[in-house]
Amino acid sequence: MDSMTGRSGLPRTVDVLIVGGGATGAGLLRDLARRGLRCLLVEKADLASGTSGRYHGLLHSGARYVARDAQAARECILENGILRRIAPACIEDTGGIFVATPDDPDDYVGAFPGRCAAVGIPCAEEPVAELFRREPALNRGIRRAFRVPDASLEPWRLVEANLLDARQHGSAALPYRQVVGMERNGGFVAAVSIADVRSGTVERIVPRIVVSATGAWAGRVAALAGVSLPMSPGKGSMLIYNQRMTDSVINRCKPPGDGDIMVPVHTVAILGTTEIGVDDPDHYEVTPAEVEALVEAGEALFPDLGRMRILRAYAGVRPLYMPAEVAGPAGVSAGAADREVSRAHVVIDHEARDGVSNFVSVVGGKLTTYRLMAEQTADAVCAKLGVDLPCSTADDVLPGQVAGHGYYWLGHRLAEHEAAGGGDATLICECELVTRPALEGFLAERMPCSLDDVRRGTRLGMGPCQGAFCTFRAAGVVAALGSAEAPDAAGENAADARAELAQGTLVAFMRERYRGTRPIAWGRQLQELWLSTGIYWGILGLDAFEPATAELPIEVGVGDGPR
Amino acid sequence: MARADVAVVGAGLAGLTAAIQLAEAGARVQVMATGHAATHWAPGGIDAGALPGSRTSLDAVERLARLEGHPYAFLADGLPDALAWLRSALGAEGLDLVGELTDPLRAIPTAIGSTRLAAILPDGMAAALPAWTAGETLVVCGPAGFRDFWPDAIAAGLRRPSTWRGHPRPARVEALTVELPGLAGRHNLSSLDLARFFDDPDWRATALEAIARALEGRPQEPGRIALPAVLGLHDHPAALAAARERLPLAPFEVALVPPSVPGLRLFAALRATLRRLGGRLQVGEAVHGVIGADGRVAELRAPAAAREFVLTAGAIVLATGGIAGGGIVAERAGSLVESVLGLPVDGPERGDWLLVDPFDPAGHPLEAAGIRTDVRLRPVAPGALERPLAENVRIAGSLLAGQRFLRQRCGDGVAIASGRLAALELRGSGSAPRSAAVVGAGREARS
């Protein structure tokens, strides 16, 4: 198997089957592949489409955790340094500032620099006059400010780079493959059934070890192996502003709470977050009350926030894990997630815990420490396989990493395009400057795929117009590629099918964008929504298209078990 | 200080209809607008109404007129006259409208390969209206390298029977991409760029020649050819005539995403008409006014370069549009604010604005938000329909409450019918407005 595109079939046997295509799974695939093991990663949807693609984009310095979790803080600052070295192209070095607003507790603020020093986080106090010169939109009531090495981290490129490295070391990752069953042979997972969620075909694979890196979904995957793993998924909601009102990550210098961080990401800025327990990691909405709470809290940082335009609200589901010894013998009920549940990650060997010798879960954690989680999980896997191979993921730079740049600027992607000798090109997405060659390159690797996959892969539709002027163009490019490939009569049907999928997923894309706009639809953004709805419904007649997704509904073969 | 008999706020179809008809009646008219309106993104035809199951626009209009609170309840009767007037006004500028309120609604191909229902279209789109007959072919033809018209995708969509909403459809749909002269190196052409190319007689002759050559060798069968709506901006009639003459298939334009060239033609024709009649048009300022203690709005104010611009007017037509046009601002706290006079808005509570499904056929409750009026288009409070809030103000177009532009497709019909009624109401407004006495009497009677 030499392809990650999903066009090739599954191998029959692998050393390690990794379930879950987020940052942790991708990091683990890279780690094990570099140690010489033959691995396969499967992801039920698109790569990095779960929690990894739905966070606020922060590379933690660790300063957020200094008061309550020194261990997490230490891990963050170490990994922060490593990621800056191995993944410079995924990082915008914005720096971070912890600011003390008039409402923040004096004792917390006073102890903050010492606590940072104690765990090795560089922290320098900045005079507020200098702060206001650099960040004029901030609340003038801010009393003190501390610089820490926070940064902005792009998850999709990071996951892609990890997978590329894994592929170069002989392993593979397949999106739209869902584990639907595990065959237990006593204390051993003998085989795993994997469904292609686009065709519906199910194949059986025999791995030596199965690792679940499925985050908030870990309980469901563990249940397939007959194991109970109580997760406590926590919804974190975020708001995307249509401007960068700050060049640096701004944090409030107080115990963690709602709306206490603003992260500049490419052309936008993201205000995070809330923390609410959810029953089902697949079905949740951002509520108006959450939006209101976020904006109100954010106004302590940026007093004009209430008048700034929000593009979209979205949420991710934290993979919070509450161990039985903490939760008590009865486990925890759903919805117990709160800020008291640890963010720490845990590698669970189900041999000792549940008597399943070749099944491992990795849960908890945060994107900043994905590599460390992968390393510790890989160590556990190697120990089980009885091999002693060193980890090299902290030492070698990921593939495709051009030397780091400073602040992101709008022309950045065009500069990259020109530097690569691209010449003149058609701009398909004018907000995020996605060129036709860039889009075609992505499609050549990933078709058939949904336009939402295109969004994650290229940032098409993520800018201020939220896809109103570019998504139908992307569908047009899909159709043009299809007809260029297959000009004969038989091939025409294949091209039509591709166009139909693109047009169907156009409906799904607009629905998904609408879902993100609806909680924040007022003022200018409501006007924008009215415009795009008027275009797609009124002028373009989108309502005559059958909605489609790239996936088929898949029946999970083995009983649901405990969640 | 500037003076006008009537100030019209808003430069869309409703405002321009009112302004031109008032100017025709001899009034001094000044149009003020914050920006351009739906003319710049709408397809340029007249959507008077389309509902599931309605055969003609008139069927839909009559059904809507029976809905409680719909503006057609008092506007429907004037719609045929309004349409006849618009047809004649546009015709004088060389733009013809084809189709009647009593014609069947047809499925018209769109720029993503879907269809929308319409019956009254600009001449350039008219060849899409007749029912498709057996054996007819549709060729979808676009210039290579143009970002907003993808023939392969459009043809693929139009080949699926479900796209046609149960209406007659062509037997075959083919895609054709043509290199047009001199555009090989142009990557980011807009519809406006192409329309300006088509204004040039020499260039369009070679372009049409290239399309005609690409069609050579096709079997001789009846058919039509769909082109992006870029057949000229300033000289559209000549470009359309040339296309009809040179191409072997009947050409029709397909509306694109904004900016809409057919909409710009419509706007340009109405602006020219207004100016010829001595009316003035100013775009680019946010306009505000106050209802005085006498129940009248005496003047409008707008920020200008050195000082505030003040316009004194005998009467005012408010045609600022709904939420899309900025006539109503939906605030974060949940209030709906009319942006010029602060009139009370009739609309749903914050939690009920939008449905879960963006394309829910029921339409979003917020679509119906707007200003309530009496049958003379004077603004009233939602609960007090008999008591006008401002005697010399008339409301027109999408600002009127009770219409659902997405679900009912009635926006253009309401615009021209209300623009016409506002003009009829305010004829004779001037330095000594006829209605002034009425206001005084009304207020005395109440107090």
Side-chain angles (χ1 to χ4, degrees):
Chain A
M1 184 170 48
D2 57 3
S3 164
M4 297 174 51
T5 65
R7 286 185 193 154
S8 55
L10 297 176
R12 293 197 175 170
T13 61
V14 289
D15 291 329
V16 184
L17 173 69
I18 299 165
V19 187
T24 309
L28 180 59
L29 187 74
R30 174 187 183 227
D31 194 319
L32 292 170
R34 293 178 69 93
R35 298 193 203 204
L37 294 171
R38 198 162 152 273
C39 311
L40 171 69
L41 180 152
V42 292
E43 160 60 48
K44 71 182 166 70
D46 191 22
L47 299 162
S49 63
T51 307
S52 296
R54 297 182 150 270
Y55 86 126
H56 45 40
L58 174 69
L59 176 65
H60 274 284
S61 62
R64 170 57 71 212
Y65 303 114
V66 288
R68 225 180 37 209
D69 193 342
Q71 173 66 18
R74 268 190 213 98
E75 287 173 0
C76 280
I77 189 62
L78 285 174
E79 289 300 310
N80 181 300
I82 291 168
L83 289 184
R84 285 168 186 271
R85 196 166 64 245
I86 67 169
C90 306
I91 293 169
E92 179 185 353
D93 189 9
T94 59
I97 306 171
F98 276 72
V99 296
T101 74
D103 298 334
D104 298 332
D106 284 335
D107 52 345
Y108 190 95
V109 175
F112 182 78
R115 283 173 170 159
C116 285
V119 293
I121 299 170
C123 171
E125 179 148 16
E126 183 162 287
V128 288
E130 172 65 9
L131 175 73
F132 295 143
R133 193 188 64 77
R134 285 161 166 276
E135 301 292 356
L138 279 173
N139 179 357
R140 294 296 156 134
I142 287 169
R143 303 169 284 150
R144 297 182 71 182
F146 306 96
R147 268 203 177 265
V148 297
D150 287 340
S152 172
L153 173 63
E154 146 91 76
W156 299 289
R157 288 182 89 158
L158 182 68
V159 167
E160 285 289 327
N162 273 278
L163 295 176
L164 180 59
D165 198 27
R167 183 168 54 184
Q168 288 170 357
H169 287 83
S171 284
L174 298 176
Y176 296 111
R177 296 300 203 289
Q178 183 173 2
V179 171
V180 291
M182 294 195 204
E183 294 166 33
R184 279 273 295 272
N185 181 1
F188 192 77
V189 176
V192 178
S193 299
I194 296 171
D196 180 332
V197 300
R198 292 181 290 204
S199 68
T201 41
V202 177
E203 289 177 76
R204 195 165 161 275
I205 180 170
V206 176
R208 294 172 67 194
I209 293 205
V210 179
V211 181
S212 165
T214 49
W217 291 264
R220 292 185 182 178
V221 174
L224 293 177
V227 168
S228 166
L229 184 61
M231 295 297 292
S232 179
K235 174 180 68 165
S237 296
M238 289 150 276
L239 303 177
I240 308 180
Y241 283 84
N242 80 328
Q243 57 176 301
R244 284 173 58 136
M245 72 296 288
T246 169
D247 275 334
S248 311
V249 177
I250 304 293
N251 304 269
R252 268 181 81 171
C253 197
K254 70 175 189 60
D258 287 356
D260 60 2
I261 180 166
M262 184 73 81
V263 186
V265 178
H266 282 223
T267 55
V268 301
I270 298 176
L271 176 68
T273 50
T274 58
E275 174 91 55
I276 296 171
V278 291
D279 293 324
D280 180 351
D282 284 320
H283 296 97
Y284 51 85
E285 296 287 336
V286 180
T287 65
E290 280 180 277
V291 172
E292 209 44 44
L294 278 169
V295 174
E296 268 177 34
E299 282 172 336
L301 294 172
F302 300 95
D304 289 339
L305 213 53
R307 289 198 290 277
M308 293 183 197
R309 177 165 155 198
I310 303 170
L311 291 177
R312 177 174 169 76
Y314 71 110
V317 186
R318 293 190 182 90
L320 302 183
Y321 167 61
M322 188 169 278
E325 54 273 24
V326 178
V332 282
S333 61
D338 60 32
R339 293 187 197 279
E340 297 309 315
V341 180
S342 172
R343 302 296 202 263
H345 59 266
V346 188
V347 179
I348 300 165
D349 182 345
H350 293 287
E351 182 166 21
R353 185 177 177 273
D354 307 292
V356 184
S357 65
N358 64 336
F359 182 45
V360 174
S361 294
V362 51
V363 294
K366 56 192 81 63
L367 198 95
T368 299
T369 55
Y370 88 94
R371 194 212 59 83
L372 180 65
M373 293 165 69
E375 178 177 342
Q376 292 174 354
T377 310
D379 286 347
V381 167
C382 288
K384 292 180 92 59
L385 289 172
V387 292
D388 183 16
L389 300 163
C391 172
S392 61
T393 56
D395 307 321
D396 292 345
V397 176
L398 283 160
Q401 302 294 303
V402 188
H405 48 81
Y407 289 121
Y408 179 86
W409 54 293
L410 186 60
H412 189 84
R413 307 188 106 209
L414 283 185
E416 277 179 4
H417 171 84
E418 285 196 353
D424 280 353
T426 303
L427 278 179
I428 298 298
C429 167
E430 286 145 307
C431 300
E432 291 285 342
L433 301 177
V434 180
T435 62
R436 183 171 181 181
L439 176 58
E440 287 177 341
F442 178 85
L443 290 171
E445 237 181 66
R446 299 289 290 277
M447 271 206 304
C449 59
S450 75
L451 292 178
D452 215 36
D453 297 347
V454 170
R455 176 180 70 85
R456 283 183 288 270
T458 65
R459 297 190 70 85
L460 179 134
M462 286 197 184
C465 91
Q466 290 288 286
F469 290 86
C470 58
T471 41
F472 81 95
R473 291 176 179 163
V477 172
V478 170
L481 279 182
S483 71
E485 249 173 44
D488 59 342
E492 203 170 70
N493 291 329
D496 271 10
R498 277 191 184 178
E500 180 168 4
L501 176 63
Q503 286 163 339
T505 64
L506 184 57
V507 182
F509 185 98
M510 295 312 291
R511 278 183 205 283
E512 175 57 28
R513 298 274 90 184
Y514 174 82
R515 188 177 166 217
T517 311
R518 189 166 166 257
I520 49 87
W522 65 75
R524 290 283 183 192
Q525 194 57 19
L526 177 65
Q527 221 177 344
E528 181 82 24
L529 174 67
W530 238 228
L531 177 66
S532 61
T533 311
I535 293 172
Y536 278 90
W537 191 347
I539 301 177
L540 299 177
L542 188 67
D543 55 312
F545 284 162
E546 294 290 325
T549 60
E551 302 132 68
L552 293 167
I554 290 293
E555 216 165 281
V556 175
V558 178
D560 284 346
R563 67 177 305 278
Chain B
M1 187 181 291
R3 293 190 57 85
D5 295 332
V6 182
V8 177
V9 191
L13 194 54
L16 291 174
T17 295
I20 294 169
Q21 295 204 8
L22 282 162
E24 284 172 344
R28 274 182 305 164
V29 182
Q30 169 114 21
V31 180
M32 300 172 77
T34 304
H36 291 301
T39 47
H40 285 52
W41 57 278
I46 297 299
D47 286 343
L51 294 172
S54 57
R55 203 183 71 84
T56 66
S57 301
L58 194 60
D59 288 346
V61 171
E62 286 170 352
R63 277 168 64 189
L64 292 172
R66 289 194 292 273
L67 291 182
E68 187 171 335
H70 197 284
Y72 271 151
F74 57 92
L75 292 175
D77 289 348
L79 181 59
D81 280 355
L83 181 60
W85 171 85
L86 182 71
R87 200 188 288 281
S88 126
L90 292 177
E93 293 291 321
L95 290 184
D96 291 327
L97 279 177
V98 176
E100 301 291 342
L101 292 167
T102 48
D103 286 346
L105 288 157
R106 302 288 190 197
I108 306 298
T110 74
I112 56 170
S114 184
T115 63
R116 66 186 179 94
L117 294 182
I120 302 168
L121 293 177
D123 195 19
M125 299 180 179
L129 282 172
W132 293 86
T133 55
E136 252 192 306
T137 295
L138 168 60
V139 177
V140 179
C141 175
F146 179 43
R147 292 178 296 179
D148 290 341
F149 194 84
W150 300 85
D152 295 299
I154 297 168
L158 294 174
R159 276 196 280 268
R160 293 197 294 276
S162 61
T163 302
W164 290 85
R165 303 172 190 267
H167 287 255
R169 60 194 172 89
R172 276 171 303 283
V173 184
E174 298 170 14
L176 179 65
T177 302
V178 180
E179 295 276 356
L180 294 186
L183 302 187
R186 301 287 298 264
H187 287 284
N188 293 293
L189 288 166
S190 72
S191 52
L192 284 174
D193 293 329
L194 283 168
R196 290 188 187 108
F197 276 112
F198 270 101
D199 279 337
D200 173 357
D202 297 332
W203 186 87
R204 76 174 166 243
T206 55
L208 291 170
E209 184 65 30
I211 296 171
R213 270 204 310 276
L215 288 169
E216 276 169 16
R218 290 186 63 263
Q220 293 294 311
E221 55 198 11
R224 309 178 209 174
I225 182 168
L227 299 163
V230 297
L231 294 177
L233 179 60
H234 304 298
D235 199 10
H236 169 61
L240 181 61
R244 283 176 174 156
E245 188 187 320
R246 184 61 191 92
L247 300 180
L249 302 171
F252 65 87
E253 294 187 298
V254 176
L256 305 173
V257 292
S260 159
V261 170
L264 287 173
R265 293 173 195 144
L266 175 72
F267 175 78
L270 294 177
R271 182 180 54 190
T273 306
L274 176 67
R275 287 188 172 155
R276 205 176 45 250
L277 293 164
R280 292 168 54 95
L281 172 66
Q282 269 175 250
V283 175
E285 59 242 328
V287 182
H288 296 281
V290 175
I291 301 173
D294 61 350
R296 298 175 58 82
V297 178
E299 60 187 26
L300 293 175
R301 291 170 174 267
R307 65 194 143 64
E308 205 169 36
F309 175 79
V310 181
L311 175 67
T312 308
I316 287 161
V317 178
L318 217 51
T320 46
I323 284 166
I328 294 171
V329 177
E331 294 188 330
R332 176 178 145 217
S335 40
L336 299 168
V337 177
E338 188 277 305
S339 57
V340 176
L341 300 175
L343 294 169
V345 176
D346 190 12
E349 293 297 315
R350 173 76 173 89
D352 301 328
W353 283 359
L354 299 170
L355 301 174
V356 172
D357 177 359
F359 304 113
D360 192 318
H364 300 290
L366 192 56
E367 283 177 58
I371 307 299
R372 288 280 161 207
T373 70
D374 63 7
V375 296
R376 297 179 57 196
L377 293 173
R378 294 176 298 191
V380 298
L385 302 183
E386 302 308 316
R387 227 188 292 168
L389 296 168
E391 184 60 37
N392 67 335
V393 173
R394 298 295 182 277
I395 308 295
S398 305
L399 189 58
L400 289 166
Q403 54 183 319
R404 298 192 169 193
F405 76 110
L406 286 172
R407 171 167 148 62
Q408 300 167 343
R409 294 176 174 272
C410 58
D412 300 320
V414 169
I416 58 175
S418 58
R420 169 184 171 275
L421 180 57
L424 287 175
E425 279 283 319
L426 297 176
R427 271 173 201 191
S429 295
S431 45
R434 182 183 53 175
S435 48
V438 181
V439 178
R443 291 186 69 82
E444 268 172 29
R446 277 203 304 276
S447 55

